[in-house]
Amino acid sequence: MYWHYSSDIWFFVFSGLSVVPLIIYGWQRRRLPSVSYFNAFNALVLLWCILATFEHSAIDLRLREGIVNALYVPIPFTSALWLLFAIAFARHRRWLDGRVVALILLIPTITAILAQTNPFHMLLFGPASMELRGDFLVLMRPRYAWFWVHTIYSYASVIAGATLIISHVVRKGPIYRKQGIVMSAGALLPLLVNLFYLLFWNHYLSIDLTPVALSFAAVIFAWGIFKYRIFDLVPIARSTLFDCTDDPVFILDSQDRLVDLNNAATLLFDVPTDGLIGEPLAEACPAHLAHLARLASSLEEPGELPVLYRDEERVYRVVSKRLLDQKDETLGRLLSLQNITALKRQESALIAAKEQAETAAQTKSDFLATMSHELRTPMNGVLGFSSLLQATPLDDEQSSYVDTIQTSGNILLALIDDILDFSKIEAGKVTLEQRPVVVHTCVEDALGRIAESAARKGIELTCSIALDVPFAIVGDEVRIGQVLGNLLGNAIKFTKKGEISLQVARIAPPAGAPDRCTLRFSVSDTGIGIPPDRIETIFDAFTQADSSTTRRFGGTGLGLAISRQLSALMGGSIHAESVVGAGSTFHFTLKAGMSPMIAANASPHHALIGQRALLLSHHPTRRSYLGQLCRMWGMEVTLSPSHAEAEAYLTEEESPDVLIVDAGGAEATLLRASLNRWRKRYAVISLTSVGHTDRAAEPGAVSVRKPVKRAELLQALLSCRPDGGRSVGSRQPLFDEALGRTHPLRILIAEDDAMNQEVARLFFSRMGYAPDLVASGREAVEAAGRTDYDVIFMDIYMPEMDGISAAKRIMASGPARPSIVALTASVTETEKKQCRDAGMDGFISKPLQLEHLVEMLRTIAPRH
């Protein structure tokens, strides 16, 4: 028989049972810091109690000795896990790397191995024997060297762990003093019991009650856990976030009574903490915090609390958070006051700085507007008289001088516009119009503005618009044209020879937005190129790729800066690619809505369907694009890149209905010799550069100027039909001298500047009008009272009475009033808005542009 009942086993049975709830409790909170070590410690205590129960029930010497050897698996590791738990609980987790943990577990591991092999080496115990002491059968074994190594290590581990826990908890303040006492008792009790057992084993004790003491200590420790929520409210968090914070923090119960407050809150109250705990917040608040209780009770979002404390003005941000238990039931609230006085002062300083900056920006904007007005006024005289001079008989030398004056004046006017545009964009005063924009018209107009400059330098201008590009988009045509004008202007400026190409493509529309599109405009040239390290800086204001560029080519460096800002306003971007000496390509994108406009010239034309055309052009881009247009109108087109291929086609094939001949390039002389011969047999459309005429052409020959416009090419093709017959692209006279007869108007001009009066008088007289002139707003009101005018062109800034006030006086006279058009050098959006608000019917800027003036005159209906 190996087993016998012994009454001493109940010490260990009850001790083991008392540890089981702690293991369950710890398992439920296994994700919390340091709980894994606590759970392992309790599991080893339970194993120790179970093995001790079996040991004291065994009566066979070998069986009991084997069980005691097995006990030395949990025994050495218990003290090691206690130390690991203490290190984790005291927040020294940086110590718990692999090497430290291995070092702590080294001696327990050796002890466990030696215990299982003790009969072979006797390093732990000597030979075993059994003795009956009273009612207890006791295993007797002498203790050898490694037993004392293990014992000293275990005592040192327990003492070190207890020291860490006690020092960590007690220094947190008086609120955790009881917790420190409880944990001290739990840590030291097993050590004292084991020490007493070792010292007095032969005299008073016959059994080792260390596991009983450990389980009892665990129960005491559990009481501390349940009472002081060691794992749920970690002491370090309370110390750092509650006691040590400079922000006043209050804990309120569900009845808004003060449960706790930190040191900062106590200082703010000027009352000891003991006198506040348990008091309702509304009653506890001193006079300078009288609004805190009211603000806290109604707080859903963070609020602000101004406080006058010890003659110092403070502002607190009040934040209230509900405190919930594990069942999500409200236990109370956490009220924190964050001192935002410095932030409020900074905010006030930022607001003041913002207002100062806005005032400075407005002053700058007003200054630029004034300067623009003052600069445009003399420019009106320069460009106006040069336009009038161009319409007079001049010899070649005089005509060259006048053209130079006109060109220089236009360049200066463009620089003034760039500076004004840049200032408006910087001030955020640019608004984009949203109107239908015909894409090909916008592109053709932009190319047309540089056509003359390109022709003088011998540069080829080409364009290509992809078939999937919509006919019309919704956007700001003026701003799109401005960006294209800047890009094309730069291309002309920095290209000595070769070509400039403008291509338009459509990028895939955004998902879920079929009514929107992204267009990419690409301007390529064969100019001087841009160094790679300077390619981004060219988009900065007042910057060009080379410091010598301004001297060589002119310009302020504002064009690309304005273009980048405008492209961003249109939802797109702009960037450049370049090779030094080989040219550059600028890509400009924009996002726009699709316009419902239907193209009148973007579908097969009934008069051209089935017509056969031979298109001869040395330039591949122009040849491809014009062929694409002809096919779109329903024609059958043969493309020829050279004179020889065209001659071969005309010899071998049936006669085409029309020849489209690009008379430029290396074969220009040969083509001019062939044109008259071809015209005798075919209908011929010659493509000529601006400023060049087809001297070999017969009277009535059809020609279209390059860059080719879609509408002009279509009209030329139609004119080659038997029922056609009018020439396309013939030069129109500068002034329509019959306009005064065909569209008679009584005109009054209110202008205070004598030079501008003379310019305006000459402009209108050349068109057949005899306008009346006055020099002030008061005179304009008097003249409108005497004469029934059809239209009054009103300057804005005049002596005695400004144009806005004069316009309001005239419009107040009754419904039968003349049309009033603002005529001013001020072109800011503010000035335009003032004119619209005053009820004016139109707006024309100085210097006078003849086409704009004629367009405005045609919109005014005669009243007589």
Side-chain angles (χ1 to χ4, degrees):
M1 183 174 179
Y2 298 98
W3 305 98
H4 178 73
Y5 168 75
S6 177
S7 59
D8 58 348
I9 66 172
W10 293 108
F11 290 110
F12 306 108
V13 171
F14 286 118
S15 297
L17 291 176
S18 65
V19 174
V20 172
L22 297 183
I23 296 175
I24 296 173
Y25 175 82
W27 178 256
Q28 292 173 346
R29 289 155 179 79
R30 59 188 178 276
R31 295 179 181 175
L32 297 172
S34 72
V35 175
S36 58
Y37 300 114
F38 176 73
N39 288 340
F41 169 78
N42 285 329
L44 288 179
V45 172
L46 176 61
L47 180 59
W48 192 344
C49 292
I50 293 172
L51 290 175
T53 301
F54 284 108
E55 177 205 350
H56 288 274
S57 299
I59 58 175
D60 182 78
L61 177 62
R62 296 305 173 201
L63 177 59
R64 178 171 284 202
E65 185 179 14
I67 294 174
V68 171
N69 289 340
L71 269 171
Y72 275 83
V73 173
I75 287 173
F77 286 103
T78 302
S79 57
L81 282 170
W82 169 262
L83 179 58
L84 291 173
F85 166 74
I87 292 173
F89 180 78
R91 297 302 181 268
H92 297 303
R93 299 194 177 203
R94 63 184 181 278
W95 298 351
L96 297 177
D97 59 10
R99 289 176 295 181
V100 173
V101 172
L103 186 62
I104 291 174
L105 297 178
L106 177 62
I107 291 181
T109 303
I110 295 174
T111 302
I113 295 172
L114 292 178
Q116 307 312 311
T117 59
N118 186 71
F120 302 103
H121 48 70
M122 297 295 178
L123 291 176
L124 269 175
F125 303 106
S129 62
M130 299 278 284
E131 289 186 10
L132 184 65
R133 293 195 175 185
D135 295 332
F136 305 115
L137 188 63
V138 180
L139 181 69
M140 307 296 292
R141 287 197 301 183
R143 302 180 178 93
Y144 288 164
W146 190 261
F147 173 84
W148 298 110
V149 173
H150 147 70
T151 301
I152 293 171
Y153 169 79
S154 298
Y155 278 33
S157 298
V158 172
I159 292 172
T163 302
L164 284 173
I165 290 176
I166 293 170
S167 63
H168 173 73
V169 172
V170 173
R171 71 169 179 263
K172 301 306 176 185
I175 191 170
Y176 286 106
R177 187 166 293 146
K178 292 181 181 179
Q179 182 181 350
I181 295 171
V182 170
M183 296 189 69
S184 300
L188 297 177
L189 180 61
L191 185 145
L192 295 174
V193 170
N194 188 262
L195 181 63
F196 190 77
Y197 167 73
L198 292 177
L199 293 176
F200 303 103
W201 176 65
N202 290 319
H203 300 281
Y204 303 105
L205 294 176
S206 57
I207 60 175
D208 185 3
L209 296 178
T210 302
V212 178
L214 282 171
S215 63
F216 186 70
V219 172
I220 296 175
F221 191 68
W223 179 75
I225 291 173
F226 283 104
K227 177 65 177 177
Y228 298 107
R229 311 296 291 272
I230 295 173
F231 296 147
D232 296 340
L233 296 174
V234 181
I236 189 67
R238 206 261 184 199
S239 173
T240 303
L241 301 178
F242 193 75
D243 284 336
C244 298
T245 181
D246 293 332
D247 294 332
V249 180
F250 308 87
I251 298 178
L252 309 177
D253 64 10
S254 58
Q255 304 300 319
D256 277 353
R257 292 174 299 199
L258 280 168
V259 176
D260 199 2
L261 64 164
N262 66 351
N263 295 332
T266 303
L267 293 174
L268 188 62
F269 269 67
D270 271 342
V271 178
T273 305
D274 295 339
L276 298 174
I277 300 300
E279 292 291 326
L281 181 63
E283 298 178 10
C285 286
H288 61 276
L289 294 176
H291 297 295
L292 177 59
R294 177 184 56 79
L295 187 63
S297 62
S298 60
L299 205 62
E300 293 183 0
E301 297 292 334
E304 293 184 2
L305 176 69
V307 173
L308 182 62
Y309 177 65
R310 296 180 181 177
D311 297 329
E312 179 186 357
E313 292 184 359
R314 298 181 184 179
V315 181
Y316 289 95
R317 182 174 182 262
V318 184
V319 180
S320 179
K321 298 291 184 183
R322 288 195 306 156
L323 299 177
L324 306 176
D325 60 12
Q326 294 181 352
K327 298 180 180 179
D328 288 338
E329 295 180 356
T330 302
L331 297 175
R333 282 186 297 148
L334 180 73
L335 199 66
S336 65
L337 275 61
Q338 302 167 5
N339 192 342
I340 58 171
T341 306
L343 291 177
K344 296 297 289 185
R345 290 172 182 166
Q346 291 176 5
E347 182 182 350
S348 300
L350 287 173
I351 291 174
K354 177 177 175 291
E355 292 174 350
Q356 184 178 0
E358 288 175 347
T359 302
Q362 183 62 43
T363 302
K364 182 179 74 171
S365 180
D366 293 342
F367 170 76
L368 288 171
T370 302
M371 289 303 299
S372 172
H373 179 274
E374 295 303 320
L375 290 169
R376 280 173 172 271
T377 297
M379 286 300 300
N380 185 50
V382 173
L383 294 178
F385 278 111
S386 64
S387 297
L388 292 167
L389 192 58
Q390 277 182 318
T392 63
L394 301 171
D395 59 30
D396 291 343
E397 184 177 6
Q398 292 170 332
S399 179
S400 173
Y401 294 160
V402 174
D403 288 345
T404 302
I405 294 171
Q406 190 76 16
T407 301
S408 300
N410 286 327
I411 291 173
L412 181 57
L413 186 61
L415 296 179
I416 295 171
D417 288 340
D418 278 350
I419 295 172
L420 185 59
D421 272 344
F422 184 75
S423 68
K424 287 194 293 184
I425 293 172
E426 275 200 327
K429 294 186 177 181
V430 171
T431 56
L432 299 179
E433 294 185 351
Q434 296 298 313
R435 296 182 179 179
V437 179
V438 179
V439 176
H440 74 266
T441 301
C442 187
V443 169
E444 291 168 355
D445 289 346
L447 288 169
R449 287 192 289 271
I450 65 166
E452 188 172 351
S453 299
R456 284 199 301 268
K457 299 178 77 170
I459 296 173
E460 288 280 1
L461 285 183
T462 62
C463 77
S464 176
I465 302 176
L467 289 174
D468 60 346
V469 172
F471 173 72
I473 59 175
V474 177
D476 192 323
E477 183 173 7
V478 173
R479 295 303 181 183
I480 297 172
Q482 184 176 358
V483 176
L484 293 178
N486 283 334
L487 299 182
L488 290 168
N490 279 347
I492 281 289
K493 184 189 300 184
F494 299 112
T495 303
K496 290 183 178 180
K497 60 180 180 179
E499 65 176 277
I500 295 172
S501 174
L502 172 54
Q503 298 180 340
V504 188
R506 180 179 181 180
I507 302 175
D515 58 337
R516 297 191 61 79
C517 68
T518 300
L519 298 185
R520 181 178 64 233
F521 299 82
S522 300
V523 177
S524 302
D525 62 60
T526 55
I528 60 176
I530 307 167
D533 59 334
R534 302 289 294 170
I535 203 161
E536 281 301 319
T537 63
I538 60 174
F539 294 102
D540 297 335
F542 309 107
T543 301
Q544 292 186 334
D546 188 345
S547 59
S548 64
T549 298
T550 303
R551 294 190 298 273
R552 292 168 58 199
F553 299 101
T556 61
L558 282 177
L560 290 178
I562 292 171
S563 298
R564 169 169 279 186
Q565 291 170 317
L566 288 177
S567 64
L569 287 175
M570 289 184 278
S573 62
I574 188 170
H575 69 280
E577 301 170 356
S578 184
V579 177
V580 175
S584 306
T585 299
F586 285 80
H587 300 283
F588 153 54
T589 64
L590 62 85
K591 295 179 181 179
M594 307 281 282
S595 172
M597 288 181 62
I598 299 175
N601 54 3
S603 58
H605 196 285
H606 67 90
L608 299 178
I609 295 175
Q611 294 287 299
R612 291 185 302 136
L614 173 62
L615 174 57
L616 169 58
S617 176
H618 65 285
H619 199 283
T621 303
R622 181 180 297 126
R623 187 170 65 245
S624 174
Y625 178 59
L626 296 182
Q628 170 186 309
L629 291 180
C630 292
R631 293 188 185 97
M632 181 177 64
W633 293 324
M635 302 181 71
E636 298 176 6
V637 184
T638 300
L639 304 180
S640 175
S642 66
H643 176 266
E645 284 193 18
E647 287 282 18
Y649 175 84
L650 294 175
T651 302
E652 298 172 3
E653 302 291 336
E654 296 183 7
S655 298
D657 297 296
V658 62
L659 269 66
I660 305 173
V661 181
D662 183 359
E667 298 181 315
T669 304
L670 185 60
L671 286 172
R672 280 197 296 270
S674 300
L675 277 175
N676 280 338
R677 176 168 50 84
W678 287 345
R679 285 194 179 104
K680 293 176 182 179
R681 298 178 55 193
Y682 314 106
V684 178
I685 299 173
S686 59
L687 308 182
T688 60
S689 299
V690 175
H692 295 75
T693 58
D694 183 9
R695 293 181 175 85
E698 297 176 352
V702 180
S703 65
V704 175
R705 288 177 181 170
K706 298 181 292 187
V708 178
K709 295 184 177 181
R710 182 188 299 200
E712 291 183 0
L713 179 60
L714 177 61
Q715 183 60 45
L717 290 169
L718 293 174
S719 69
C720 291
R721 299 282 298 153
D723 54 351
R726 69 182 187 89
S727 179
V728 177
S730 57
R731 183 166 181 169
Q732 300 296 325
L734 188 62
F735 289 95
D736 184 0
E737 298 181 356
L739 186 61
R741 296 193 304 273
T742 59
H743 191 70
L745 296 171
R746 293 181 182 177
I747 300 172
L748 173 66
I749 300 173
E751 168 64 65
D752 64 310
D753 186 84
M755 180 183 64
N756 288 338
Q757 280 188 352
E758 184 63 13
V759 170
R761 186 188 67 78
L762 290 171
F763 263 60
F764 283 101
S765 63
R766 287 294 181 91
M767 293 185 288
Y769 294 107
D772 295 335
L773 300 173
V774 295
S776 69
R778 180 184 58 78
E779 293 179 9
V781 174
E782 294 173 355
R786 294 191 304 266
T787 305
D788 196 9
Y789 290 105
D790 295 303
V791 60
I792 300 175
F793 287 91
M794 184 81 72
D795 188 20
I796 300 300
Y797 298 103
M798 291 185 293
E800 298 184 37
M801 181 184 295
D802 63 81
I804 298 290
S805 301
K808 290 180 178 179
R809 288 276 190 92
I810 295 171
M811 287 184 287
S813 62
R817 66 170 182 84
S819 299
I820 301 178
V821 178
L823 181 64
T824 177
S826 297
V827 293
T828 65
E829 193 61 36
T830 302
E831 300 288 347
K832 293 180 180 180
K833 186 176 184 301
Q834 287 179 350
C835 295
R836 289 194 298 266
D837 293 344
M840 291 190 177
D841 302 288
F843 187 100
I844 290 183
S845 63
K846 302 176 191 174
L848 288 176
Q849 300 291 326
L850 184 60
E851 58 272 18
H852 295 162
L853 182 60
V854 172
E855 182 181 355
M856 179 62 68
L857 289 171
R858 292 186 184 279
T859 62
I860 297 170
R863 299 169 61 204
H864 309 284

